[in-house]
Amino acid sequence: MTTSAGSFRDSVDSMFSQAVALMDLPPGLAEKIRVCNSTYTVRFGVRLRGQIQTFVGYRSVHSEHNEPVKGGIRYAMNVDQDEVEALAALMTYKCALVELPFGGSKGGLRIDPRAWEPSELEQITRRFTYELSRRRLISPSQNVPAPDMGTGEREMAWMADAYKRLHPEDIDARGCVTGKPLGMGGIAGRVEATGRGVQYALREVFRTPSLLKRANLDGSLDGQRIVVQGLGNVGYHAALFLSQEDGAKIVAVAERDGMVTNPDGLNITDLHAHMRATGGVKDFPGATYDADGSKALELDCDILIPAALEAVIHEGNAARVKARLVVEAANGPVTAEGDAILRERGAVVVPDMYANAGGVTVSYFEWVKNLSHISFGRLERRQEEDRHRLLVEELERLSADRGLGWTMSTGFKQRYLTGANELELVRSGLDDTMRNAFQQMYTQLENDSRVPDLRTAGFMVSIRRIAESYHSLGL
Ligand code: GLU
């Protein structure tokens, strides 16, 4: 999307340049890191509804300092080269920040997925996969797509199947895309991963009183008033977990058809069911409806979570944003100009490259699972349970021998005696990743008074890592 201040790509580049200005990189290296290595555009025809329909698709590879390169494929009408290049660049910085061994890539197909039947979408997706495969733009070792806006498990299953048919000899074929359904080599917890990552990111922010102070907030997540823009996969899971597990109040949700508000907090499960049944948020019982959803960004609240499109907070509305904390669950929701205004106003922005890294992190776990051909926990789970049982039985025996009368609560025993399943391991790995990345980003912010915000700090950590990997390659 291009705003009056420039394109999405310009916005990402200007944030990148702000960070580079504070670093001491060898001449030319910043430019090498910044530029997008290649963008492939394909126009292909599929015979549908009695005629040949032409589609335009892209796959952009931003940086191959690590391979495979990684990033989602979106299906939307506003997909264009500038957008996929900006998103591919963000993937590079995101993967480096959360320490995943991937370069950055992104793809898109200019299509309104709602305008086509599932069987038609399947034909289009299979044909797109064929085009990508011909150019090694889908491959377990070189380029691994994933879901993004407008795509999900279903599209990934079609892509994985199409790839497998084209490469029947490739034993690692399942690792050609992530975000697949469980039965096709997917991993537990991938669907919820980006929203779960937003929750873990916010928990880490609330474990950092000095950062909260910058935002003029304090206390815990319990009772914080949150506005969520977009109740798609990311917004829905983030809102659900934050309200159900951390006691936050989701006071407003904006969607395509407007917004609903309730100062006491919206029930996200019910709202999601209402949206599925009616197609929108309008008429949701117990809430106030307003057809102008853009107003949600300007509501009085503690935390704003833009979880939909890019460039929704810009020079035209940033000054009216009242949230103290803006958590970028979408990619690029705040433009460079909007960012500067929020900073001047003292709001803290938790940048996209960190806040929404949960999806690609769990994609990494899925890819590793596919390459190792075994699910997480399968070898050690029962052995872990046996060892725990040994300890519990020994403690019970000692207690009985000495007449101490100790008894362990059934709840504790049950939890302690049950070995971790794949979902628990995935969540644990994601939590660890989000905590570590936050600490590295925050240390950069705290230790260098020139660093103005978390985003610049995040870029600096990423760029340093990418520069190091170029350095080891002798560049
Ligand atoms: N599309 C998601 C993102 O923007 C996930 C990418 C992936 O899993 O590779 O981060």
Side-chain angles (χ1 to χ4, degrees), residues 150-184:
T151 57
E153 287 188 322
R154 182 182 65 173
E155 288 71 20
M156 298 307 112
W158 292 331
M159 294 189 97
D161 187 60
Y163 181 86
K164 178 73 191 159
R165 283 162 197 252
L166 292 166
H167 305 273
E169 77 297 344
D170 185 352
I171 190 153
D172 292 325
R174 281 187 156 182
C176 73
V177 287
T178 56
K180 301 177 292 292
L182 257 182
M184 274 199 73

Side-chain angles (χ1 to χ4, degrees), residues 284-468:
F284 179 59
T288 309
Y289 171 76
D290 189 324
D292 182 4
S294 66
K295 281 192 202 147
L297 300 168
E298 300 168 19
L299 288 176
D300 183 25
C301 65
D302 302 307
I303 304 169
L304 173 63
I305 306 185
L309 287 171
E310 57 256 21
V312 293
I313 299 174
H314 43 75
E315 75 273 33
N317 63 0
R320 296 195 297 276
V321 170
K322 295 181 192 64
R324 310 298 313 152
L325 195 60
V326 177
V327 184
E328 295 186 321
N331 283 308
V334 181
T335 64
E337 296 73 24
D339 207 33
I341 297 169
L342 291 179
R343 192 168 51 235
E344 274 161 32
R345 289 195 45 255
V348 167
V349 177
V350 184
D352 47 6
M353 74 168 87
Y354 168 68
N356 72 30
V360 70
T361 300
V362 176
S363 275
Y364 168 53
F365 303 151
E366 178 177 333
W367 179 72
V368 170
K369 174 182 174 179
N370 293 152
L371 298 191
S372 56
H373 300 266
I374 188 165
S375 58
F376 291 106
R378 182 162 170 186
L379 289 184
E380 59 273 44
R381 184 169 183 201
R382 301 301 170 198
Q383 197 252 3
E384 186 193 348
E385 288 179 354
D386 285 346
R387 289 171 75 90
H388 284 191
R389 185 169 302 105
L390 262 182
L391 181 68
V392 165
E393 283 170 4
E394 186 63 5
L395 283 173
E396 285 177 340
R397 191 187 63 74
L398 284 172
S399 162
D401 276 5
R402 299 179 188 210
L404 295 172
W406 291 348
T407 45
M408 292 184 198
S409 68
T410 356
F412 167 80
K413 259 173 94 167
Q414 207 172 354
R415 283 183 61 196
Y416 190 64
L417 291 176
T418 310
N421 61 23
E422 188 171 81
L423 181 61
E424 288 161 320
L425 291 170
V426 162
R427 287 180 180 161
S428 147
L430 176 59
D431 194 11
D432 186 58
T433 304
M434 297 307 289
R435 290 186 198 215
N436 284 338
F438 181 85
Q439 287 311 324
Q440 279 147 11
M441 189 169 64
Y442 192 56
T443 305
Q444 182 74 44
L445 177 66
E446 282 284 271
N447 291 352
D448 185 344
S449 57
R450 299 168 311 155
V451 181
D453 53 22
L454 280 174
R455 189 190 314 276
T456 310
F459 264 108
M460 289 173 80
V461 173
S462 287
I463 295 167
R464 193 178 312 117
R465 290 197 178 128
I466 301 163
E468 274 161 17

Side-chain angles (χ1 to χ4, degrees), residues 70-72 91 94 106 146-148 190 331 359-360 363:
K70 191 87 190 76
M91 286 309 301
K94 192 185 312 191
K106 199 79 173 201
D148 199 80
R190 175 61 184 86
N331 283 308
V360 70
S363 275

